[in-house]
Coordinates of all heavy atoms in Angstrom, one line a residue:
L73 N -40.3 -18.7 19.0 CA -39.2 -17.9 18.7 C -38.0 -18.2 19.6 O -36.8 -18.3 19.0 CB -39.5 -16.4 18.8 CG -38.5 -15.5 18.2 CD1 -38.3 -15.6 16.7 CD2 -39.0 -14.0 18.5
D74 N -38.2 -18.5 20.8 CA -37.2 -18.9 21.7 C -36.6 -20.3 21.3 O -35.4 -20.4 21.4 CB -37.6 -18.9 23.1 CG -37.9 -17.6 23.8 OD1 -37.3 -16.6 23.2 OD2 -38.7 -17.5 24.7
Y75 N -37.4 -21.1 20.7 CA -36.8 -22.5 20.4 C -36.1 -22.2 19.2 O -35.0 -23.0 19.1 CB -38.1 -23.3 20.0 CG -37.7 -24.7 19.5 CD1 -37.1 -25.6 20.2 CD2 -38.0 -25.0 18.1 CE1 -36.8 -26.8 19.7 CE2 -37.6 -26.2 17.6 CZ -37.0 -27.1 18.4 OH -36.6 -28.2 17.9
V76 N -36.5 -21.3 18.3 CA -35.7 -21.1 17.0 C -34.3 -20.5 17.4 O -33.3 -20.8 16.9 CB -36.4 -20.2 16.0 CG1 -35.6 -19.8 14.9 CG2 -37.6 -20.9 15.5
K77 N -34.3 -19.6 18.3 CA -33.0 -18.9 18.8 C -32.2 -19.9 19.3 O -30.9 -20.0 19.1 CB -33.4 -17.8 19.9 CG -33.9 -16.6 19.2 CD -34.3 -15.6 20.4 CE -34.9 -14.4 19.9 NZ -35.2 -13.5 21.1
H78 N -32.7 -20.8 20.2 CA -32.0 -22.1 20.8 C -31.2 -22.9 19.7 O -30.1 -23.3 19.8 CB -32.8 -22.8 21.8 CG -32.0 -24.0 22.4 ND1 -31.1 -23.9 23.3 CD2 -32.3 -25.4 22.1 CE1 -30.7 -25.1 23.6 NE2 -31.3 -26.0 22.9
L79 N -32.1 -23.2 18.8 CA -31.6 -24.0 17.6 C -30.5 -23.3 16.9 O -29.5 -23.9 16.4 CB -32.7 -24.3 16.7 CG -33.6 -25.5 17.0 CD1 -34.7 -25.6 15.8 CD2 -32.9 -26.7 17.1
W80 N -30.6 -21.9 16.7 CA -29.5 -21.2 16.0 C -28.3 -21.1 16.8 O -27.2 -21.2 16.3 CB -30.1 -19.7 15.7 CG -29.2 -19.1 14.8 CD1 -28.4 -18.1 15.2 CD2 -28.9 -19.3 13.4 NE1 -27.6 -17.5 14.2 CE2 -27.9 -18.3 13.0 CE3 -29.3 -20.1 12.5 CZ2 -27.4 -18.3 11.8 CZ3 -28.8 -20.1 11.2 CH2 -27.9 -19.1 10.8
K81 N -28.4 -21.0 18.1 CA -27.2 -21.0 19.0 C -26.5 -22.3 18.9 O -25.3 -22.4 19.1 CB -27.6 -20.6 20.4 CG -27.8 -19.1 20.6 CD -28.3 -19.0 22.2 CE -28.8 -17.5 22.3 NZ -29.2 -17.3 23.8
N82 N -27.2 -23.3 18.9 CA -26.7 -24.7 18.9 C -26.7 -25.4 17.5 O -27.0 -26.6 17.3 CB -27.4 -25.5 19.9 CG -27.3 -25.1 21.3 OD1 -26.3 -24.5 21.6 ND2 -28.4 -25.2 21.9
R83 N -26.4 -24.6 16.4 CA -26.5 -25.1 15.0 C -25.5 -26.1 14.7 O -25.7 -26.9 13.9 CB -26.6 -23.9 14.1 CG -25.4 -23.1 14.1 CD -25.5 -21.9 13.0 NE -24.5 -21.1 13.0 CZ -24.2 -20.0 13.8 NH1 -25.2 -19.7 14.6 NH2 -23.3 -19.2 13.6
Q84 N -24.4 -26.2 15.4 CA -23.4 -27.2 15.2 C -23.9 -28.5 15.6 O -23.5 -29.5 15.0 CB -22.2 -26.9 16.1 CG -21.4 -25.7 15.7 CD -21.9 -24.4 16.3 OE1 -22.8 -24.5 17.3 NE2 -21.6 -23.2 16.0
E85 N -24.7 -28.7 16.6 CA -25.4 -29.9 16.9 C -26.7 -30.2 16.1 O -27.4 -31.3 16.4 CB -25.8 -29.8 18.4 CG -24.6 -29.6 19.3 CD -25.0 -29.2 20.8 OE1 -26.2 -29.3 21.0 OE2 -24.1 -28.8 21.5
L86 N -27.0 -29.5 15.1 CA -28.2 -29.7 14.3 C -28.1 -30.9 13.5 O -27.1 -31.1 12.8 CB -28.5 -28.4 13.5 CG -29.8 -28.3 12.8 CD1 -30.9 -28.1 13.8 CD2 -29.8 -27.0 11.9
K87 N -29.2 -31.7 13.5 CA -29.1 -33.0 12.8 C -29.5 -32.7 11.4 O -30.3 -31.7 11.0 CB -30.1 -33.9 13.4 CG -29.7 -34.4 14.7 CD -30.6 -35.5 15.2 CE -31.7 -34.8 16.1 NZ -32.6 -35.6 16.6
I88 N -29.2 -33.4 10.4 CA -29.6 -33.4 9.0 C -31.0 -33.4 8.8 O -31.6 -32.6 8.0 CB -28.8 -34.3 8.1 CG1 -28.9 -34.0 6.7 CG2 -29.3 -35.7 8.4 CD1 -28.0 -32.7 6.3
E89 N -31.7 -34.1 9.6 CA -33.2 -34.2 9.5 C -33.8 -32.8 9.9 O -34.7 -32.3 9.2 CB -33.8 -35.3 10.3 CG -33.5 -36.7 10.0 CD -32.2 -37.2 10.6 OE1 -31.6 -36.5 11.6 OE2 -31.6 -38.2 10.2
D90 N -33.4 -32.2 10.9 CA -33.9 -30.9 11.2 C -33.6 -29.9 10.2 O -34.5 -29.0 9.9 CB -33.3 -30.4 12.6 CG -33.8 -31.3 13.7 OD1 -34.9 -31.9 13.5 OD2 -33.0 -31.5 14.7
A91 N -32.4 -29.9 9.7 CA -32.0 -28.9 8.6 C -32.9 -29.1 7.3 O -33.3 -28.2 6.7 CB -30.5 -29.0 8.3
G92 N -33.1 -30.5 7.1 CA -34.0 -30.8 5.9 C -35.4 -30.3 6.0 O -36.0 -29.6 5.1
I93 N -35.9 -30.4 7.2 CA -37.4 -29.9 7.5 C -37.3 -28.4 7.4 O -38.3 -27.9 6.8 CB -37.7 -30.4 9.0 CG1 -38.0 -31.9 9.1 CG2 -39.1 -29.7 9.3 CD1 -38.2 -32.5 10.3
A94 N -36.3 -27.8 8.0 CA -36.3 -26.3 7.8 C -36.1 -25.8 6.4 O -36.9 -24.9 5.9 CB -35.1 -25.7 8.6
A95 N -35.5 -26.5 5.6 CA -35.3 -26.2 4.2 C -36.6 -26.4 3.5 O -37.0 -25.6 2.6 CB -34.1 -27.0 3.5
L96 N -37.3 -27.6 3.7 CA -38.6 -27.8 3.1 C -39.6 -26.7 3.5 O -40.4 -26.4 2.7 CB -39.0 -29.2 3.5 CG -38.4 -30.3 2.8 CD1 -38.9 -31.7 3.3 CD2 -38.7 -30.2 1.2
F97 N -39.6 -26.3 4.7 CA -40.4 -25.4 5.1 C -40.2 -24.0 4.4 O -41.1 -23.3 4.0 CB -40.3 -25.0 6.7 CG -41.3 -24.0 7.2 CD1 -42.6 -24.2 7.4 CD2 -40.7 -22.8 7.5 CE1 -43.5 -23.1 7.8 CE2 -41.5 -21.7 8.0 CZ -42.9 -21.9 8.1
G98 N -39.0 -23.6 4.4 CA -38.6 -22.3 3.5 C -39.0 -22.5 2.0 O -39.6 -21.6 1.5
L99 N -38.8 -23.7 1.5 CA -39.3 -23.9 0.1 C -40.8 -23.8 0.0 O -41.4 -23.3 -1.0 CB -38.7 -25.3 -0.4 CG -39.0 -25.6 -1.8 CD1 -38.3 -24.7 -2.7 CD2 -38.6 -27.1 -2.1
E100 N -41.5 -24.2 1.0 CA -43.0 -24.3 0.9 C -43.5 -22.8 1.0 O -44.3 -22.4 0.3 CB -43.5 -25.1 2.1 CG -45.1 -25.2 2.1 CD -45.7 -26.0 3.1 OE1 -45.0 -26.4 4.1 OE2 -47.0 -26.0 3.2
C101 N -42.8 -22.0 1.9 CA -43.2 -20.6 2.1 C -43.0 -19.9 0.7 O -43.7 -19.1 0.3 CB -42.4 -20.0 3.1 SG -43.0 -20.5 4.8
F102 N -41.9 -20.2 0.1 CA -41.6 -19.6 -1.2 C -42.6 -20.0 -2.2 O -42.9 -19.1 -3.1 CB -40.1 -19.9 -1.7 CG -39.7 -19.1 -3.1 CD1 -39.5 -17.9 -3.1 CD2 -39.7 -20.0 -4.2 CE1 -39.2 -17.3 -4.2 CE2 -39.3 -19.5 -5.4 CZ -39.2 -18.0 -5.4
A103 N -42.9 -21.3 -2.4 CA -44.0 -21.8 -3.3 C -45.3 -21.0 -3.1 O -46.0 -20.6 -4.0 CB -44.1 -23.2 -3.2
W104 N -45.7 -20.9 -1.8 CA -47.0 -20.2 -1.5 C -46.9 -18.7 -1.9 O -47.9 -18.2 -2.4 CB -47.4 -20.2 0.0 CG -48.0 -21.5 0.3 CD1 -47.5 -22.6 1.0 CD2 -49.3 -22.0 -0.1 NE1 -48.4 -23.6 1.1 CE2 -49.6 -23.2 0.4 CE3 -50.3 -21.4 -0.9 CZ2 -50.7 -23.9 0.2 CZ3 -51.5 -22.1 -1.1 CH2 -51.7 -23.4 -0.6
Y105 N -45.7 -18.1 -1.8 CA -45.5 -16.7 -2.2 C -45.7 -16.6 -3.7 O -46.3 -15.7 -4.3 CB -44.1 -16.3 -1.8 CG -43.7 -14.9 -2.5 CD1 -44.2 -13.8 -2.0 CD2 -42.8 -15.0 -3.5 CE1 -43.9 -12.6 -2.6 CE2 -42.5 -13.8 -4.1 CZ -43.1 -12.5 -3.7 OH -42.6 -11.3 -4.3
C106 N -45.1 -17.5 -4.4 CA -45.1 -17.5 -6.0 C -46.6 -17.9 -6.4 O -47.1 -17.2 -7.2 CB -44.2 -18.6 -6.5 SG -42.5 -18.2 -6.3
A107 N -47.3 -18.7 -5.7 CA -48.6 -19.0 -6.0 C -49.5 -17.8 -5.7 O -50.4 -17.3 -6.6 CB -49.2 -20.2 -5.2
G108 N -49.3 -17.1 -4.6 CA -50.0 -15.9 -4.4 C -49.8 -14.8 -5.4 O -50.7 -14.0 -5.8
E109 N -48.4 -14.6 -5.8 CA -48.3 -13.7 -6.9 C -48.9 -14.0 -8.3 O -49.5 -13.1 -8.8 CB -46.8 -13.7 -7.2 CG -45.9 -13.0 -6.2 CD -46.1 -11.5 -6.1 OE1 -46.1 -10.9 -7.2 OE2 -46.3 -11.0 -5.0
V110 N -49.0 -15.3 -8.6 CA -49.8 -15.7 -9.7 C -51.2 -15.3 -9.6 O -51.9 -14.9 -10.5 CB -49.5 -17.2 -10.0 CG1 -50.5 -17.6 -11.2 CG2 -48.1 -17.4 -10.5

Side-chain angles (χ1 to χ4, degrees):
L73 190 62
D74 289 339
Y75 177 72
V76 170
K77 286 180 185 177
H78 175 72
L79 281 178
W80 186 253
K81 285 180 185 177
N82 301 322
R83 63 183 176 270
Q84 294 84 12
E85 301 168 8
L86 193 63
K87 293 184 273 184
I88 192 70
E89 293 88 10
D90 295 333
I93 289 171
L96 283 174
F97 177 73
L99 185 63
E100 182 182 4
C101 289
F102 180 72
W104 278 110
Y105 168 78
C106 292
E109 287 288 316
V110 170

